[in-house]
Every structure is written in structure tokens, then in C-alpha cells.
Amino acid sequence: MPTCLACSKPVIPWISFGKMPIANGFLTPDQVADEPRYELEVGRCQACTLVQLTQLVEREKMFHAHYAFFSSTSTRMAAHFEQFASGAKTKYLADAADPFVVELGSNDGIMLRHFAQAGIRHLGIEPSANVAQAARDRGVRTTVEFFETELARRIVTSDGRADLIYGANVMCHLPYLHSVADGIRELLHPRGVLIFEDPYLGDIVEKTSYDQIYDEHASYFSLASVSYIFGQHGLEVIDVEALATHGGSMRYTLAHRGARPVTAAVQELRAREEQLRLHEHATFEQLRERIYRSRTELHALLTRLRAEGKRVVGYGATSKSTTVTNFCGLTPDLVEFISDTTPVKQGKLSPGAHIPVRPYADFASRYPDYALLFAWNHAEEILAKESAFIAAGGRFIVYVPTVRVMEP
Ligand code: DWN
């Protein structure tokens, strides 16, 4: 029986996706024969409620010098981080004489550049050397490492304590939760705040967004599990904010226990989690049934369209799409190619399903009949710029919350 990342008690598995490739392991044809696969299974701790992967892929196999995801591929996300940086400066740094900001998993510097440009002391911690280099190229001070207690101590010695520690879509990637939480406790200034945002378990349940489940996402957080984990390290959740990003995220603000007042939003979310029955195993059994149904429906839709001679192209070679293509059995005869704007993904094959990934120009120069929106979390941004595709009769297919062809 696997044991919990947060409390070491037994974890009850509730869904297995079978053997999956590395979600961001885009590969060349000569690498196909040696492509590694790992069991992707999710469980729930009955003691502390943390929903988590039961088997983990070594972190160096996922985050390295050829990491495929660059945060700056979305203009809406760039605006989201600019807004965050500007708000945080006013709300949390105004009183600090010489503020210091640390970001965990700073990727290509999409957020931290705003602090760099303002001349504010900062440090990005990013284990993937290529995206870290992109951050350095835009003037963001970055160290290529994994964040753990030992690094936190080194930073305290070199730079002092942090007034703001931030992480966007990174905490759920860190299975060594206690080392991280302990490091944050040591690094955080007595009046400082830790703010992090991750895909929210409540949204995954409500929207059946099962494609958030892949090797990089070790944990699927709720307020209950976050409070439990960080509470063990003297930190408490003082505020929460639901975000639309990445298909439904939660931003948690934490401080040293007793250092700052707790907002009413925290109690409201606690009540919402009761209503959503996030603490009940039956909720996840029902989710599993919806996931199976979604798989059947998506495969059937694509098979029918193919039989009708329609062309279907994937839009966005997301990490999430690796779960969908492999779990639903989407092969290149159903999805001709996947269009993606990220240069390092182009010309490669998608992990496991081996669907070719091609530049956006291949999509725009010869529109398919249907675009399977793997980047559904960026739907607003993508739909706004694809009016010509729609006008030409093209249609988007989505599978979150349910499988459907979107009406124009
Ligand atoms: O947690 C994670 C999230 C935040 O980012 C990581 N584990 C990895 C990554 O997950 P993802 O790959 O599912 O993220 P996105 O942001 O949904 O990926 C979007 C993909 O679509 C990128 O490869 C860029 C591409 N794209 C595109 O081709 N045209 C994106 C947009 C907005 C576009 O217009």
C-alpha cells in the first residue's frame, strides 16, 4: 500500500491510467524505441485527505536542461503574472525597507521579471536549466536547483529572509512536501507571506478535468490538505482566492501562525469543500466513472469524424494532452498533428501517442475541419485569435467539462 506524501499513512488508490510516458517527454523518431513509461495512479489519503500520485517519476527525468514548457507562450498568463506582481508590491512589500522576493519554479521569468525591472531584490529557483537561461536572458536572477530546506538555509545566509515567497503551478510538482514547507518556514521573514497557486482539486472534481493528472503533478491540493501540510510547519492559510487560470486554480496565501489576520474567504472555502464532499471517497469513485465516460465519448467522436473523412488537428501540445492522448487511445490516424507555438516541441512526436507536433503555421495555412483543444485552459485567448478558423467553418472540440463540439 502506498503511503501519503504528507502524513505517511496509507493512500487508497482510486484510478489508474496505466503506463504513461513522461508528460513533457516530446521525442524524435529515433527515441521512440527507448521511450520510458511509468504507472500513473492516483490515490487519496484517508487520514489527511491529500489526493496524490501513488508512484513518482524521479524529478531529474522530468525537469532538466531540455524542459519543453515555457510559461511565456500565453499572453494571458503574462498579463496574469504582471497583475500579480503589481498587486503584491503594494500589498505585501510596501513596508519592507529592502524587500526580497523568492519564486519557486520561476520558469522563464514570466513573473519575476517585473520585480527585476523594478530593481527589487529577487531570486528565481528553477531546476530546468534551459528555461532558467531564458529567465536570466531577461535579467532575472536565477539559480538552477530544486528547492529544499538545505537551499533555503543557503539563501538565508546569502540574501536574508524573504518578504514574499511565490510559486505558480509549482507546489503541486514537489512531492518532498515537508522539506519544502520546512525550507519555507526558515526562509520566510516573520512578517512575510508565502503565496502559491495550483490547479484546484475542487475544479478537477467539478469539471472532470482529469488531464491535470500526469507525472509532474504529484499532489492535487485542497484547502484542507494545504492547511494540514503547512500547519505542521508553523504556517497557516490566511487567505484564498479562486482563479480562472489553468482551468480553475486556487491561490493560497500563508504566513507564520498568528502573524497576520485570517480572512473570511478561508472559512468560506472550507464550507465549500464540505459541500463538494472533497473528504468523501465516493466523490472520487463518481469522478472515476465520469473520466471513463469522457474517454469513451471522445474516442467515439473522433472515430466518427474520421469515418466521415474530416480532418482533426490538436491545438496545443500541452502536458495535459499526454494523459488524454494515451488514456483515450488517440493515435495519429485520429489526430493528424498537434499545432504548438513552442519551438522546442515542433518537429517532435508527442509522448506515447507519437502524434507529430508542428508549428502553428501548419495549422493556419491549411485549416482542418476540427481543432481538438488540448490547451482548453487557454480557450478564451485562443478563441479570440482564431476567428478566421471559425469563419472558415472550423470548429473546436473540447472534453472539459464534457466532450462536445463548440458552437461558434
Ligand atoms: O503545471 C504546469 C503548467 C502550468 O504548465 C506544468 N506541469 C507544465 C505546463 O502544463 P501544460 O503544458 O499543460 O500547460 P499549458 O499552458 O496548457 O500549455 C499550453 C501549450 O499550448 C504550450 O505548449 C503552448 C501552446 N499554445 C499554443 O500553441 N498556442 C498556447 C497558446 C495560448 C496558443 O495560443
Side-chain angles (χ1 to χ4, degrees):
M1 179 82 65
T3 53
C4 178
L5 299 171
C7 72
S8 304
K9 302 262 170 52
V11 168
I12 314 294
W14 63 267
I15 188 166
S16 169
F17 292 88
K19 294 267 185 214
M20 287 280 163
I22 301 273
N24 267 305
F26 295 88
L27 67 180
T28 50
D30 60 305
Q31 293 171 320
V32 165
D34 297 325
E35 187 176 25
R37 286 191 180 254
Y38 303 88
E39 189 65 33
L40 184 69
E41 183 185 66
V42 191
R44 205 179 136 271
C45 176
Q46 280 186 312
C48 77
T49 77
L50 180 65
V51 173
Q52 58 198 278
L53 296 186
T54 60
Q55 295 179 44
L56 299 170
V57 175
E58 291 139 82
R59 59 191 187 181
E60 290 79 6
K61 292 213 160 82
M62 297 184 285
F63 309 110
H64 41 62
H66 304 284
Y67 189 56
F69 178 71
F70 288 68
S71 299
S72 296
T73 43
S74 161
T75 50
R76 292 279 168 106
M77 288 309 293
H80 169 78
F81 290 119
E82 183 174 12
Q83 200 179 16
F84 168 76
S86 148
K89 263 183 240 164
T90 325
K91 195 165 176 187
Y92 296 112
L93 303 184
D95 296 340
D98 180 19
F100 178 42
V101 179
V102 173
E103 184 176 4
L104 314 185
S106 44
N107 199 276
D108 59 12
I110 187 169
M111 193 290 287
L112 221 37
R113 70 193 163 119
H114 299 291
F115 289 100
Q117 283 158 9
I120 291 173
R121 284 195 308 129
H122 64 276
L123 179 65
I125 300 163
E126 173 50 62
S128 299
N130 59 334
V131 289
Q133 189 53 47
R136 285 173 176 158
D137 291 345
R138 10 164 79 148
V140 175
R141 183 178 166 229
T142 309
T143 181
V144 180
E145 287 182 77
F146 290 96
F147 182 82
E148 293 214 46
T149 310
E150 188 272 329
L151 174 58
R153 288 187 184 138
R154 268 192 282 132
I155 298 172
V156 173
T157 306
S158 58
D159 297 79
R161 294 191 198 277
D163 301 281
L164 168 63
I165 302 178
Y166 179 66
N169 306 297
V170 63
M171 205 61 84
C172 68
H173 295 64
L174 310 177
Y176 32 99
L177 289 166
H178 291 295
S179 177
V180 171
D182 206 45
I184 288 168
R185 182 185 57 77
E186 294 207 19
L187 179 58
L188 194 64
H189 186 277
R191 288 276 304 150
V193 288
L194 159 69
I195 303 179
F196 71 89
E197 54 197 64
D198 277 301
Y200 177 55
L201 181 65
D203 283 292
I204 295 173
V205 169
E206 281 193 308
K207 297 174 186 159
T208 315
S209 45
Y210 69 91
D211 57 348
Q212 293 289 3
I213 298 168
Y214 54 90
D215 53 4
E216 292 182 13
H217 290 177
S219 306
Y220 305 85
F221 291 126
S222 62
L223 172 61
S225 56
V226 166
S227 304
Y228 174 78
I229 296 156
F230 288 91
Q232 289 181 303
H233 297 268
L235 298 161
E236 73 178 330
V237 179
I238 58 160
D239 195 19
V240 286
E241 183 187 353
L243 304 171
T245 50
H246 288 294
S249 300
M250 192 60 66
R251 178 178 282 165
Y252 307 91
T253 302
L254 294 92
H256 290 287
R257 191 175 294 121
R260 286 174 180 264
V262 177
T263 66
V266 177
Q267 187 46 40
E268 284 161 20
L269 183 59
R270 209 163 272 140
R272 187 177 159 220
E273 293 190 350
E274 288 286 320
Q275 279 172 0
L276 283 171
R277 299 181 183 279
L278 293 186
H279 53 287
E280 288 180 20
H281 199 69
T283 302
F284 296 92
E285 287 174 348
Q286 289 155 13
L287 174 59
R288 183 180 58 218
E289 293 316 307
R290 294 199 299 280
I291 293 172
Y292 287 154
R293 200 178 318 136
S294 176
R295 169 172 67 176
T296 307
E297 288 177 8
L298 183 58
H299 195 273
L301 172 63
L302 297 179
T303 305
R304 176 171 66 76
L305 293 175
R306 180 187 165 218
E308 290 170 4
K310 306 290 190 205
R311 288 180 62 225
V312 178
V313 163
Y315 199 113
T318 59
S319 323
K320 298 180 291 293
S321 70
T322 297
T323 296
V324 177
T325 53
N326 287 277
F327 178 63
C328 301
L330 309 188
T331 45
D333 58 326
L334 294 178
V335 179
E336 193 179 307
F337 66 89
I338 307 176
S339 158
D340 198 286
T341 53
T342 317
V344 297
K345 295 182 184 176
Q346 296 163 358
K348 303 248 174 73
L349 299 173
S350 74
H354 306 149
I355 301 169
V357 181
R358 297 211 198 130
Y360 174 73
D362 288 18
F363 173 84
S365 61
R366 188 173 159 244
Y367 285 140
D369 299 295
Y370 294 89
L372 176 55
L373 192 53
F374 288 128
W376 59 269
N377 47 309
H378 298 296
E380 217 179 289
E381 173 175 348
I382 291 169
L383 264 59
K385 66 186 171 195
E386 292 303 349
S387 51
F389 168 60
I390 307 278
R395 293 290 174 267
F396 280 100
I397 298 171
V398 286
Y399 43 84
V400 174
T402 51
V403 175
R404 70 195 165 97
V405 175
M406 290 176 85
E407 287 308 318

Short mmCIF file of all heavy atoms in Angstrom, two decimals, residues 24 67 69 73-74 169 172-173 214 216-217 246 315-320 339-342 345 375 377-378 381-382 385, ligand 1:
data_model
loop_
_atom_site.label_atom_id
_atom_site.label_comp_id
_atom_site.label_asym_id
_atom_site.label_seq_id
_atom_site.Cartn_x
_atom_site.Cartn_y
_atom_site.Cartn_z
N ASN A 24 6.00 15.66 -20.52
CA ASN A 24 6.68 16.64 -21.38
C ASN A 24 7.84 16.02 -22.15
O ASN A 24 8.75 16.73 -22.58
CB ASN A 24 7.15 17.82 -20.54
CG ASN A 24 6.10 18.92 -20.53
OD1 ASN A 24 5.68 19.39 -21.58
ND2 ASN A 24 5.66 19.32 -19.35
N TYR A 67 13.81 20.96 -20.85
CA TYR A 67 12.39 21.02 -20.45
C TYR A 67 11.60 21.74 -21.55
O TYR A 67 12.04 22.75 -22.12
CB TYR A 67 12.27 21.76 -19.11
CG TYR A 67 10.88 21.68 -18.53
CD1 TYR A 67 10.28 20.44 -18.29
CD2 TYR A 67 10.15 22.82 -18.21
CE1 TYR A 67 9.00 20.36 -17.75
CE2 TYR A 67 8.88 22.75 -17.66
CZ TYR A 67 8.31 21.51 -17.45
OH TYR A 67 7.04 21.43 -16.92
N PHE A 69 8.36 23.07 -21.50
CA PHE A 69 7.31 24.07 -21.26
C PHE A 69 7.89 25.43 -20.87
O PHE A 69 8.58 25.55 -19.86
CB PHE A 69 6.33 23.60 -20.17
CG PHE A 69 5.27 24.64 -19.89
CD1 PHE A 69 4.27 24.91 -20.81
CD2 PHE A 69 5.29 25.38 -18.71
CE1 PHE A 69 3.31 25.88 -20.57
CE2 PHE A 69 4.33 26.35 -18.46
CZ PHE A 69 3.35 26.60 -19.40
N THR A 73 4.47 31.31 -23.28
CA THR A 73 3.76 31.01 -24.53
C THR A 73 2.32 31.53 -24.50
O THR A 73 1.64 31.49 -25.51
CB THR A 73 3.74 29.48 -24.80
OG1 THR A 73 3.46 28.80 -23.57
CG2 THR A 73 5.05 28.99 -25.36
N SER A 74 1.85 32.01 -23.36
CA SER A 74 0.49 32.53 -23.27
C SER A 74 0.52 34.00 -22.89
O SER A 74 1.09 34.38 -21.86
CB SER A 74 -0.30 31.74 -22.22
OG SER A 74 -1.43 32.49 -21.81
N ASN A 169 1.90 27.13 -10.01
CA ASN A 169 1.91 25.81 -10.62
C ASN A 169 3.23 25.11 -10.35
O ASN A 169 3.85 24.57 -11.26
CB ASN A 169 1.66 25.92 -12.13
CG ASN A 169 0.39 26.69 -12.38
OD1 ASN A 169 -0.69 26.25 -11.99
ND2 ASN A 169 0.51 27.85 -12.99
N CYS A 172 2.46 21.83 -6.46
CA CYS A 172 1.90 20.50 -6.75
C CYS A 172 2.92 19.60 -7.44
O CYS A 172 2.71 18.40 -7.57
CB CYS A 172 0.62 20.63 -7.58
SG CYS A 172 0.88 21.22 -9.26
N HIS A 173 4.05 20.18 -7.87
CA HIS A 173 5.10 19.39 -8.51
C HIS A 173 6.11 18.83 -7.50
O HIS A 173 7.03 18.10 -7.87
CB HIS A 173 5.89 20.25 -9.51
CG HIS A 173 5.10 20.73 -10.69
ND1 HIS A 173 4.04 21.57 -10.59
CD2 HIS A 173 5.24 20.46 -12.02
CE1 HIS A 173 3.55 21.83 -11.79
NE2 HIS A 173 4.25 21.15 -12.68
N TYR A 214 -0.93 13.99 -14.30
CA TYR A 214 0.23 13.45 -15.05
C TYR A 214 1.44 13.48 -14.12
O TYR A 214 1.36 14.01 -13.00
CB TYR A 214 0.45 14.19 -16.37
CG TYR A 214 0.59 15.69 -16.31
CD1 TYR A 214 1.82 16.31 -16.14
CD2 TYR A 214 -0.52 16.50 -16.43
CE1 TYR A 214 1.94 17.68 -16.10
CE2 TYR A 214 -0.41 17.89 -16.38
CZ TYR A 214 0.81 18.47 -16.22
OH TYR A 214 0.93 19.84 -16.17
N GLU A 216 4.13 15.06 -13.54
CA GLU A 216 4.68 16.23 -12.85
C GLU A 216 3.83 16.66 -11.66
O GLU A 216 4.32 17.29 -10.73
CB GLU A 216 4.79 17.42 -13.82
CG GLU A 216 5.84 17.20 -14.89
CD GLU A 216 5.97 18.41 -15.81
OE1 GLU A 216 5.45 19.49 -15.50
OE2 GLU A 216 6.60 18.24 -16.88
N HIS A 217 2.54 16.38 -11.73
CA HIS A 217 1.63 16.83 -10.67
C HIS A 217 1.50 15.74 -9.60
O HIS A 217 0.65 14.86 -9.69
CB HIS A 217 0.26 17.17 -11.25
CG HIS A 217 0.27 18.41 -12.09
ND1 HIS A 217 -0.83 18.88 -12.76
CD2 HIS A 217 1.27 19.29 -12.35
CE1 HIS A 217 -0.50 19.99 -13.39
NE2 HIS A 217 0.77 20.27 -13.17
N HIS A 246 -5.44 28.11 -15.74
CA HIS A 246 -5.22 26.66 -15.85
C HIS A 246 -6.47 25.85 -15.52
O HIS A 246 -6.41 24.81 -14.87
CB HIS A 246 -3.99 26.22 -15.04
CG HIS A 246 -2.72 26.69 -15.71
ND1 HIS A 246 -2.32 26.20 -16.94
CD2 HIS A 246 -1.84 27.64 -15.38
CE1 HIS A 246 -1.22 26.82 -17.32
NE2 HIS A 246 -0.91 27.70 -16.40
N TYR A 315 -4.76 21.22 -30.88
CA TYR A 315 -4.34 22.61 -30.70
C TYR A 315 -3.69 22.72 -29.32
O TYR A 315 -4.36 22.67 -28.30
CB TYR A 315 -5.56 23.53 -30.81
CG TYR A 315 -5.23 24.99 -31.10
CD1 TYR A 315 -5.56 25.59 -32.31
CD2 TYR A 315 -4.55 25.75 -30.15
CE1 TYR A 315 -5.25 26.91 -32.57
CE2 TYR A 315 -4.23 27.07 -30.40
CZ TYR A 315 -4.59 27.65 -31.61
OH TYR A 315 -4.26 28.97 -31.86
N GLY A 316 -2.34 22.87 -29.32
CA GLY A 316 -1.58 22.99 -28.07
C GLY A 316 -1.09 21.63 -27.60
O GLY A 316 -1.87 20.80 -27.15
N ALA A 317 0.22 21.41 -27.72
CA ALA A 317 0.81 20.13 -27.26
C ALA A 317 1.09 20.26 -25.77
O ALA A 317 2.24 20.35 -25.32
CB ALA A 317 2.08 19.82 -28.04
N THR A 318 0.03 20.30 -25.00
CA THR A 318 0.15 20.52 -23.56
C THR A 318 0.65 19.25 -22.85
O THR A 318 0.52 18.14 -23.37
CB THR A 318 -1.24 20.88 -22.98
OG1 THR A 318 -2.13 19.79 -23.26
CG2 THR A 318 -1.81 22.14 -23.62
N SER A 319 1.12 19.45 -21.64
CA SER A 319 1.46 18.29 -20.79
C SER A 319 0.19 17.49 -20.56
O SER A 319 0.19 16.26 -20.55
CB SER A 319 1.99 18.74 -19.43
OG SER A 319 2.78 19.89 -19.53
N LYS A 320 -0.89 18.22 -20.35
CA LYS A 320 -2.19 17.57 -20.09
C LYS A 320 -2.60 16.65 -21.22
O LYS A 320 -3.23 15.62 -21.00
CB LYS A 320 -3.26 18.65 -19.89
CG LYS A 320 -3.03 19.56 -18.71
CD LYS A 320 -4.12 20.62 -18.54
CE LYS A 320 -4.14 21.67 -19.61
NZ LYS A 320 -2.99 22.56 -19.64
N SER A 339 -0.72 21.26 -33.32
CA SER A 339 -0.10 22.57 -33.57
C SER A 339 0.37 23.16 -32.24
O SER A 339 -0.39 23.16 -31.27
CB SER A 339 -1.16 23.47 -34.22
OG SER A 339 -0.84 24.82 -34.03
N ASP A 340 1.60 23.66 -32.23
CA ASP A 340 2.10 24.29 -30.99
C ASP A 340 3.11 25.38 -31.34
O ASP A 340 3.94 25.22 -32.24
CB ASP A 340 2.75 23.26 -30.05
CG ASP A 340 2.86 23.79 -28.62
OD1 ASP A 340 3.73 24.67 -28.37
OD2 ASP A 340 2.05 23.37 -27.77
N THR A 341 3.04 26.46 -30.58
CA THR A 341 3.91 27.62 -30.84
C THR A 341 5.29 27.50 -30.19
O THR A 341 6.12 28.37 -30.38
CB THR A 341 3.24 28.90 -30.30
OG1 THR A 341 2.89 28.68 -28.93
CG2 THR A 341 1.99 29.27 -31.09
N THR A 342 5.53 26.45 -29.41
CA THR A 342 6.81 26.31 -28.70
C THR A 342 7.87 25.69 -29.62
O THR A 342 7.74 24.51 -29.98
CB THR A 342 6.66 25.41 -27.46
OG1 THR A 342 5.45 25.74 -26.78
CG2 THR A 342 7.84 25.52 -26.53
N LYS A 345 9.18 22.03 -29.08
CA LYS A 345 8.26 20.90 -29.27
C LYS A 345 8.06 20.59 -30.76
O LYS A 345 7.70 19.47 -31.11
CB LYS A 345 6.90 21.22 -28.63
CG LYS A 345 6.92 21.38 -27.12
CD LYS A 345 5.53 21.66 -26.54
CE LYS A 345 5.60 21.91 -25.04
NZ LYS A 345 4.30 22.27 -24.45
N ALA A 375 -5.28 22.68 -25.33
CA ALA A 375 -4.98 23.83 -24.44
C ALA A 375 -6.30 24.50 -24.05
O ALA A 375 -6.44 25.73 -24.12
CB ALA A 375 -4.04 24.80 -25.14
N ASN A 377 -7.52 25.20 -21.33
CA ASN A 377 -7.38 26.19 -20.25
C ASN A 377 -7.05 27.57 -20.79
O ASN A 377 -7.18 28.56 -20.08
CB ASN A 377 -6.29 25.74 -19.26
CG ASN A 377 -5.02 25.27 -19.94
OD1 ASN A 377 -5.06 24.44 -20.85
ND2 ASN A 377 -3.89 25.79 -19.54
N HIS A 378 -6.62 27.65 -22.06
CA HIS A 378 -6.35 28.95 -22.70
C HIS A 378 -7.45 29.27 -23.72
O HIS A 378 -7.22 30.03 -24.66
CB HIS A 378 -5.00 28.93 -23.41
CG HIS A 378 -3.83 28.68 -22.50
ND1 HIS A 378 -3.47 29.55 -21.49
CD2 HIS A 378 -2.95 27.64 -22.43
CE1 HIS A 378 -2.41 29.06 -20.85
NE2 HIS A 378 -2.08 27.91 -21.40
N GLU A 381 -8.22 32.97 -24.72
CA GLU A 381 -7.16 33.58 -25.54
C GLU A 381 -7.15 33.00 -26.95
O GLU A 381 -7.05 33.72 -27.94
CB GLU A 381 -5.80 33.31 -24.84
CG GLU A 381 -4.59 33.74 -25.63
CD GLU A 381 -3.29 33.54 -24.83
OE1 GLU A 381 -3.35 33.29 -23.61
OE2 GLU A 381 -2.21 33.65 -25.45
N ILE A 382 -7.31 31.70 -27.05
CA ILE A 382 -7.21 31.04 -28.36
C ILE A 382 -8.43 31.35 -29.22
O ILE A 382 -8.31 31.69 -30.41
CB ILE A 382 -6.98 29.52 -28.16
CG1 ILE A 382 -5.58 29.28 -27.57
CG2 ILE A 382 -7.17 28.77 -29.48
CD1 ILE A 382 -5.30 27.88 -27.08
N LYS A 385 -8.33 34.66 -30.92
CA LYS A 385 -7.44 34.88 -32.07
C LYS A 385 -7.74 33.94 -33.24
O LYS A 385 -7.09 34.02 -34.27
CB LYS A 385 -5.97 34.82 -31.66
CG LYS A 385 -5.46 33.49 -31.18
CD LYS A 385 -4.02 33.65 -30.67
CE LYS A 385 -3.56 32.39 -29.99
NZ LYS A 385 -2.37 32.54 -29.19
O1 DWN B 1 1.81 22.83 -14.27
C1 DWN B 1 2.22 23.03 -15.40
C2 DWN B 1 1.56 24.05 -16.22
C3 DWN B 1 1.37 25.35 -15.56
O2 DWN B 1 2.25 24.28 -17.41
C4 DWN B 1 3.37 22.27 -15.92
N1 DWN B 1 3.41 20.97 -15.33
C5 DWN B 1 3.55 22.25 -17.40
C6 DWN B 1 2.60 23.13 -18.15
O3 DWN B 1 1.43 22.38 -18.42
P1 DWN B 1 0.75 22.43 -19.88
O4 DWN B 1 1.76 22.05 -20.88
O5 DWN B 1 -0.48 21.60 -19.80
O6 DWN B 1 0.46 23.99 -19.94
P2 DWN B 1 -0.34 24.88 -20.94
O7 DWN B 1 -0.11 26.29 -20.55
O8 DWN B 1 -1.75 24.48 -21.02
O9 DWN B 1 0.34 24.62 -22.34
C7 DWN B 1 -0.11 25.30 -23.46
C8 DWN B 1 0.60 24.77 -24.70
O10 DWN B 1 -0.10 25.23 -25.83
C9 DWN B 1 2.03 25.28 -24.81
O11 DWN B 1 2.83 24.27 -25.40
C10 DWN B 1 1.92 26.45 -25.76
C11 DWN B 1 0.76 26.04 -26.63
N2 DWN B 1 -0.02 27.18 -27.11
C12 DWN B 1 -0.21 27.32 -28.47
O12 DWN B 1 0.31 26.55 -29.27
N3 DWN B 1 -0.96 28.40 -28.89
C13 DWN B 1 -0.60 28.02 -26.20
C14 DWN B 1 -1.36 29.07 -26.63
C15 DWN B 1 -2.00 30.01 -25.65
C16 DWN B 1 -1.53 29.27 -28.02
O13 DWN B 1 -2.21 30.23 -28.47
#
